[in-house]
Structures are given as C-alpha cells and as structure tokens.
Amino acid sequence: MQALGRGPRFVIRVLRGLAQVMFLDSAGAGAVFALALWTADWRYGAYALGGAALGTGAARLLGAPHDRVRAGLEGFNSCLTALCFAVFLGAGRSATMVLAAAACLVVTVVTAALTRVLHVWDLPTLTMPYCLLAGAVTLAAPAFRRLWPQARSIAALPRAGSGPTVLSWNDVGGAFFRNVSQVFFLEQWYAGALLLAGLFLASRVAGWVACAGSATGILTAWALGTPAARITDGTLGCNAVLVAMALCGVFLPATRKTLPYALLGAATATALTPAVAALLAPSGGHPFTWPFVLTTLGFLAAARSFPLITTPTAYRAADRPTASLHGDQATRLTWPP
C-alpha cells in the first residue's frame, strides 16, 4: 500500500515543480500550467513535465532535503531547462531529448551548489541554475553538429530598435497576457490567460501582483520608446512579472509598502532586459531570466536597509503550509489567500 501511494505523491511534487516557476506550492496550479503548455504545443508540455520529473527524482535519489523536494523546489529549474532546449534546439529531435534529460540531472547539482554559495548571504537561487546551464549549452551548441545542425550562427550584433511605437488596444491586451506566457517561452496569448488562471486559482494576491507586474512592464517599455512589436511579443515584460511577484508576496510581505518597491523592480527588469540581450548577443547567448535574477537579488539585498518594507507579514509559513521560496531563507513567506 505504501508503494501505491508513492506514485501519486511523486506526481504532485512534479506538478508543484511546474508551479514553482511562478513561486507557487500548488499542484492544482501546476496542472493548469501544464494545460497551458499543452494547448500551445504538446511537446512543450511533455518536456516541461519530464524535466520537472527528472529534477525532482534526481534530487530525491541524491538525498536533497525532503521539504524542498516536497514543495517542488527541485523541479522548476529542470522544468525550465528542458523546455528551453525544446524551444531553442528543436523539440522533435532525439539529440535534444537526450541532452535535455542529461541537463536536468546536471542542473540539480548546480542548484545544490548555488544554494550553498548564496546561503552565505541568505539569498535565494531563483532561476540562476537554469540560466547558467541553458546559457552555457546554447553558447556551445553551434560547435556540435548533432546539437545544432543549422548552418547559420546564433551570434548577432546588437541593433537599434526600429518600427512604430504606437500601441493599439489589441497590442496592449496581447502584451499583457504574453508577458505571462513568455515565462514559459510561449507566444500564444491564450496560454498566458491560462497561466494567470492558475495563479488566481492558487492565490488571488499572486494573480493581482502578476497582473500589476505585466502592466508595469508594458508601461515602462512604452515610455522608453520600445517598438510596439517588441512589447507585444511579451519578451520584454516576462521578467517584470517574475520580479513583481518575488518582491511582493514571496520574499517580502505583500503590503501597500512593498508593492511600489516591487513595481519599481519590475520596471528595472524591463529596462535591463535589452541590456542583457545586447551583452550576450555577440556570443550567441540569450537573456533568459537573467534580468529577473539580477534585479531580484539586488533589490532583496537592498531591502535589508529599508525596515519599513521588510516587516514580517501576518501570513507566515507556520500559519499556512503553502510557503514557496526559490532558496533556503530562514523566514519563509507565503501568499495570502
């Protein structure tokens, strides 16, 4: 009977791994996220679920802390790693499948190493393990014909933005949802709508903060004169969504004082995204979620100097067992209902 129960428990942990991409310890939200991936491309859903399963299983076999495995914290980096390879290296290729499986095992080790290093400063790993591994592989891929059979190189020089900057209401609506869907590399607006539904299913506060982050990303990009096409595709605003959620409700309390701080971080990540892309483009790299990682770590470190925004929230992990953190901080906050 005990063996029969292990299967369902493992499935729940895998689904939590998907949900932890957006800071949620919720198998229900993870199931909705999987549905969103499946509606865009069933292969993306398979890679994401398979990646989360491999990362979770590897961490369990290596003896990772049980609370991290149970909460899905060992599955979200492997989920993003596998999904990234499917998008950039071709989901239907056998070489991609083998490489993604191996990378999911390696990113588990990288996560453990970074957790140890960043614990010294009491900072979370976030998606840094995925960014490091995915960045290294995409940079190296053109050197290996089985990984990158295309004749063209992925390296490119940065170019000035061009095109109209006027946004229509359809552009704004599309960008609002794609800012969420691009967290999972999805271009479909309806996938973003499903992801938002999953957020609201787990926590109304998480959903509204994500909406505020998406709106901030759009407004910041428009104010800076970004071409409308770049705003609409969601690649500029996806980091803003993650930063807003991280700084208002996950690592800092969700209060009226932290929300402006979080939205300032969201605007910063939006402006930082082209800078990271330009820095990595000549070597063929991609920004991935580096703007989110760099902005969040910087704002979290600075927050310790601002006691007004670091006052513990009334919603503590001890009160509600749905705490969700991408790291090993001592004080674990949780989304209010």
Side-chain angles (χ1 to χ4, degrees):
M1 293 298 293
Q2 185 178 3
L4 291 176
R6 290 175 182 172
R9 284 201 299 269
F10 183 74
V11 171
I12 290 173
R13 291 167 181 172
V14 170
L15 291 175
R16 284 174 179 161
L18 262 72
Q20 286 287 4
V21 173
M22 302 192 78
F23 307 104
L24 298 173
D25 179 3
S26 168
V32 177
F33 290 1
L35 176 62
L37 287 159
W38 227 273
T39 58
D41 190 323
W42 70 268
R43 296 173 299 178
Y44 291 170
Y47 270 90
L49 284 169
L54 282 171
T56 301
R60 189 72 183 94
L61 290 174
L62 290 171
H66 180 72
D67 60 335
R68 286 183 57 86
V69 177
R70 185 209 65 80
L73 291 172
E74 295 291 345
F76 69 93
N77 273 296
S78 56
C79 166
L80 287 173
T81 300
L83 185 58
C84 167
F85 289 177
V87 172
F88 289 100
L89 301 179
R93 303 177 60 244
S94 57
T96 302
M97 299 177 193
V98 174
L99 182 64
C104 288
L105 303 180
V106 174
V107 82
T108 302
V109 178
V110 175
T111 299
L114 288 174
T115 299
R116 285 286 184 179
V117 172
L118 292 175
H119 180 72
V120 175
W121 296 281
D122 196 25
L123 290 172
T125 59
L126 303 173
T127 54
M128 190 185 296
Y130 142 71
C131 287
L132 286 173
L133 190 60
V137 170
T138 51
L139 283 175
F144 305 107
R145 294 298 302 274
R146 287 191 176 89
L147 301 183
W148 189 261
Q150 296 92 329
R152 63 182 180 83
S153 171
I154 56 177
L157 293 176
R159 295 181 298 176
S162 61
T165 59
V166 178
L167 288 172
S168 68
W169 285 111
N170 285 337
D171 292 334
V172 174
F176 180 82
F177 291 112
R178 290 189 184 99
N179 284 346
V180 182
S181 66
Q182 284 289 357
V183 173
F184 286 91
F185 304 102
L186 304 179
E187 300 177 354
Q188 295 82 357
W189 69 267
Y190 54 83
L194 273 174
L195 291 171
L196 271 178
L199 283 170
F200 277 102
L201 174 67
S203 165
R204 293 190 301 274
V205 174
W208 286 120
V209 171
C211 289
S214 180
T216 300
I218 295 171
L219 182 61
T220 303
W222 172 80
L224 292 173
T226 306
R230 182 73 192 279
I231 298 175
T232 305
D233 68 14
T235 55
L236 269 183
C238 59
N239 284 285
V241 172
L242 291 174
V243 170
M245 295 179 68
L247 297 178
C248 184
V250 179
F251 301 104
L252 297 175
T255 67
R256 294 179 182 178
K257 294 178 181 178
T258 56
L259 181 59
Y261 189 72
L263 297 184
L264 176 62
T268 302
T270 303
L272 184 61
T273 299
V276 176
L279 182 66
L280 296 176
S283 57
H286 299 276
F288 298 125
T289 54
W290 275 118
F292 153 63
V293 171
L294 296 174
T295 303
T296 301
L297 291 181
F299 272 63
L300 282 178
R304 294 166 185 170
S305 299
F306 309 132
L308 287 179
I309 63 173
T310 55
T311 302
T313 178
Y315 294 92
R316 295 172 298 178
D319 300 325
R320 293 173 59 83
T322 54
S324 167
L325 285 184
H326 290 182
D328 284 327
Q329 286 189 318
T331 302
R332 297 199 168 198
L333 304 182
T334 181
W335 288 111

